[in-house]
Amino acid sequence: MSVLDRAELLYDHHQIDRSLTQMANQIAHDLPGPLTVIGVMTGALVTMGHLLVKMPQEVTVDYLHISRYKNNLEGSEQLDWLAYPATNLKNKTVLIVDDIFDEGVTLAAAKQYCLDRGASLVKSCVLINKERPRGNVEPDYFAMRVPDRYVFGFGMDYQQLYRNQAGIYSLHLDDQP
């Protein structure tokens, strides 16, 4: 039996699409542009692609690749910077897009990087905001919430697989990594 067979579907593609449309509308209202959108790879790839086509404002697109997981599903405080944005961020309004907000370590580092490079304003958005206790760091925008469980699909992986699933799935509590 595969992991997908044992998983629970939390959100289907239509629910995700509606939530991303609502988030894009709020971002367009708050940040009319021009806007530099930076995706946190690899997880944000799917979310960013779907979000960008819903944004009416003028945008430039870039990415950064930062990870705290490597081969560890639990994550660590150690950040691996694999790629930096190529765009000059001085005096730009930046929107950082990520797949999931778990503890906020990666998003906080990405935001600080942009501010250190002279961005005038840095906001963040995530597809998923995980319901869990954490410090005072929060994303500025999020499309959906999930319980504090391991989730995958729609850009998020399980052991480097299942990023291509159109829905968001969770492992049952007895299957959690």
Side-chain angles (χ1 to χ4, degrees), residues 12-76:
D12 67 27
H13 182 61
H14 297 293
Q15 292 169 306
I16 296 168
D17 188 62
R18 279 193 305 271
S19 295
L20 285 173
T21 297
Q22 291 171 347
M23 185 169 70
N25 289 341
Q26 186 62 53
I27 291 168
H29 177 267
D30 296 348
L31 306 171
L35 187 60
T36 300
V37 179
I38 298 176
V40 179
M41 295 297 120
T42 302
L45 185 64
V46 175
T47 297
M48 193 163 101
H50 284 263
L51 184 65
L52 284 171
V53 298
K54 298 173 181 301
M55 299 175 75
Q57 66 270 56
E58 182 180 300
V59 300
T60 57
V61 178
D62 206 335
Y63 72 96
L64 58 83
H65 195 162
I66 183 174
S67 177
R68 57 183 286 255
Y69 291 94
K70 289 187 182 179
N71 294 323
N72 176 2
L73 292 174
E74 305 268 325
S76 72

Side-chain angles (χ1 to χ4, degrees), residues 100-133:
I100 189 166
F101 189 81
D102 196 343
E103 295 177 15
V105 175
T106 303
L107 204 53
K111 185 174 185 175
Q112 190 59 54
Y113 175 88
C114 294
L115 290 169
D116 290 347
R117 293 327 172 264
S120 57
L121 178 66
V122 180
K123 296 288 185 177
S124 62
C125 72
V126 296
L127 173 64
I128 296 295
N129 192 353
K130 193 179 273 193
E131 295 174 343
R132 64 179 300 165

